[in-house]
Amino acid sequence: MPDRLNGSYYRATANAWRTQASLGSSLNCDVVVIGGGFTGLSAALACAEKGLSVVLLEAQTIGFGASGRNGGQLIPGLRWSMREIDAEFGRERAQAIFNLAYGAVDRVKHRIAEHHIQCDAKAGHLEAAYKPAHFDAMQRDAAFLAQHFGWEAQIVQSQDIGRHVHGGGYHGGIYDAQGGHFHPLNYALGLAKAAQKAGVRIYEHMAAQTPVDTGTQIEIQTGTGAGAATLTAKHVIMAADTWTGGIAPDLRSYTVPIMNYNIATAPLPNADQLLPSDAAVADSRFVLNYFRLSADKRLIFGGGEKYVQTPPADIGAFVRKHIAEVFPSLGNVPIDYAWGGAVGVTMNRLPHMGRKGNVFYAHGFSGHGALVTTLAGELMAEAVVGTMSRFDVFANFPHSRFPGGKWLARPLATLGLLYYAMRDRL
Ligand SMILES: Cc1cc2nc3c(=O)[nH]c(=O)nc-3n(C[C@H](O)[C@H](O)[C@H](O)COP(=O)(O)OP(=O)(O)OC[C@H]3O[C@@H](n4cnc5c(N)ncnc54)[C@H](O)[C@@H]3O)c2cc1C
């Protein structure tokens, strides 16, 4: 990954963390977890709490992937509104999906409180309407959510939007006091410490190869040269998100990686005027702008996507034009940090979870993973000990592969995404 993707504000303000020493040449355990992001860490912690012996392998460092780079926006639910979910799956299934997807908010809050995770967690999320038609749809969604599922979010008329954001010219929005924002890398590191305390052995810089099911156990090779090791386990949890295809080629075409970029400005003297309620804000465009304040009053802003893997030569300049659209007064604001990462997106924008024998997987949270990944990890831990009912609610989402095979899937998906991005501009 190019260096210019790694210069994040989160890395610069990460809490201290110490990983396990070296692994040795062989190791046997109940569960090997592959990937040290929210999903893998949550799964590892939950497995250890169930009394299982757990090893977590992370190819780089904890939070190296999307979990340590994201916008930190805690947005309850999934990418589909409950109105869409209800229409597609019927009330009974919608209720089960609601219980999990919206219950994920409490799981994250619970983990933060239980393990005293210092991650600058704040309450309040605003979805801001970019077009009047978006606001109409938002109001219908919010009314449906309240009436049928009892989830109350506040409708904010356009004349009141300044309570939350001064900029953007938004046509109203939905304020959800149960959403919020946090420092994602410090949340990941907090989960890692909690997992370690619960007995999970965490090894960084140890990339797992494709798990091999021998019929009696699963073998995982990791490391190279003198550091090579063979792990054997009863179960494997794959939590490698956009890298999943590298260890499970048959899962590759279920997601495409979309590059997304973030910056952190210098601390802003007028930060509280720009975002008076300190809520995180995401607008309703297909390629959205999303922003919030850090604990030290920087604007953390994400905007613009790229459908090629190569990052812009100057990420700050790339994001700056989107900042200026929302906050014209910040057109020349100093940018202290700029970074980027890959968002794993499925065809239908719902997470892709499932199992192949004793290998469980979850990936493709489609830009909506800051809350749901903690839950997804816990669902996989339940499945490992044989409790399938909640896992199956998510594992039964209907998924299709991106067409085009190994070489054409990304270009074809790109064409589709560009079409939707263009519609926003019309
Ligand atoms: C720029 C950006 C902004 C985003 N903003 C938001 C947001 O504001 N709100 C929101 O809800 N969601 C957001 N998302 C999405 C969210 O961050 C992800 O859905 C979530 O973090 C995925 O977590 P994960 O643990 O599944 O994957 P990751 O965090 O990507 O973790 C996967 C880990 O697996 C490791 N790995 C890969 N291959 C191997 C291997 N072979 N062996 C061992 N380890 C391996 C990787 O190094 C990585 O650390 C954003 C994503 C990006 C990229």
Side-chain angles (χ1 to χ4, degrees), residues 126-132 134 138 158 161-162 164-173 273-276 281-285 289-291 299 301 321-330 424:
L126 179 80
E127 189 190 8
Y130 179 64
K131 292 181 176 179
H134 296 175
M138 280 179 192
S158 59
I161 204 87
H164 299 290
V165 52
H166 276 285
Y170 296 118
H171 298 270
Q273 286 152 24
L274 298 174
L275 292 164
V281 180
D283 74 24
S284 60
R285 299 205 288 188
N289 290 323
Y290 54 97
F291 42 91
L299 183 71
F301 193 103
K321 55 183 187 287
H322 299 285
I323 302 178
E325 281 165 23
V326 180
F327 301 112
S329 63
L330 297 185
D424 274 347

Side-chain angles (χ1 to χ4, degrees), residues 34-36 56-61 64 203-208 222 243:
I34 302 175
L56 185 148
L57 299 175
E58 164 53 52
Q60 305 287 340
T61 51
F64 174 83
Y203 298 98
E204 294 182 313
H205 303 292
M206 294 300 274
T222 181
W243 290 274

Side-chain angles (χ1 to χ4, degrees), residues 159-403:
Q159 64 270 22
D160 299 325
I161 204 87
R163 283 187 204 153
H164 299 290
V165 52
H166 276 285
Y170 296 118
H171 298 270
I174 304 295
Y175 175 77
D176 192 335
Q178 297 175 78
H181 52 108
F182 68 2
H183 185 307
L185 180 57
N186 280 339
Y187 177 66
L189 292 171
L191 281 183
K193 283 180 206 165
Q196 235 176 15
K197 212 168 153 193
V200 177
R201 284 163 286 176
I202 298 180
Y203 298 98
E204 294 182 313
H205 303 292
M206 294 300 274
Q209 295 172 23
T210 302
V212 178
D213 195 335
T214 64
T216 50
Q217 61 187 5
I218 305 172
E219 284 181 9
I220 303 106
Q221 305 289 336
T222 181
T224 51
T230 303
L231 275 65
T232 49
K234 295 190 191 78
H235 297 93
V236 169
I237 290 178
M238 288 201 291
D241 201 27
T242 49
W243 290 274
T244 300
I247 44 172
D250 52 327
L251 295 178
R252 180 178 287 129
S253 57
Y254 284 104
T255 64
V256 290
I258 305 295
M259 295 307 293
N260 198 272
Y261 300 99
N262 276 229
I263 61 88
T265 66
L268 300 176
N270 65 340
D272 297 334
Q273 286 152 24
L274 298 174
L275 292 164
S277 66
D278 203 5
V281 180
D283 74 24
S284 60
R285 299 205 288 188
F286 182 75
V287 179
L288 72 166
N289 290 323
Y290 54 97
F291 42 91
R292 65 187 187 89
L293 297 177
S294 63
D296 58 355
K297 306 285 182 192
R298 300 166 188 275
L299 183 71
I300 298 194
F301 193 103
E305 286 180 341
K306 263 195 168 292
Y307 305 121
V308 291
Q309 291 293 90
T310 328
D314 182 344
I315 294 174
F318 177 78
V319 177
R320 185 187 291 282
K321 55 183 187 287
H322 299 285
I323 302 178
E325 281 165 23
V326 180
F327 301 112
S329 63
L330 297 185
N332 293 315
V333 68
I335 291 176
D336 285 354
Y337 302 95
W339 65 98
V343 183
V345 174
T346 59
M347 190 96 142
N348 64 9
R349 307 292 187 272
L350 294 173
H352 186 219
M353 291 180 64
R355 75 180 291 180
K356 284 183 190 290
N358 285 333
V359 178
F360 298 84
Y361 59 84
H363 63 150
F365 295 91
S366 302
H368 222 93
L371 287 169
V372 174
T373 42
T374 292
L375 173 88
E378 293 177 352
L379 297 184
M380 287 193 284
E382 287 176 14
V384 161
V385 296
T387 307
M388 300 304 295
S389 52
R390 294 185 348 134
F391 175 85
D392 283 343
V393 172
F394 273 19
N396 286 337
F397 286 141
H399 282 283
S400 311
R401 294 173 184 273
F402 282 93

Side-chain angles (χ1 to χ4, degrees), residues 23 26 39 54 77 79 100 147 206 257 280 289 306 320 331 334 354 404:
L23 177 58
S26 68
T39 307
V54 187
R79 277 290 287 267
L100 292 179
Q147 186 184 348
M206 294 300 274
N289 290 323
K306 263 195 168 292
R320 185 187 291 282

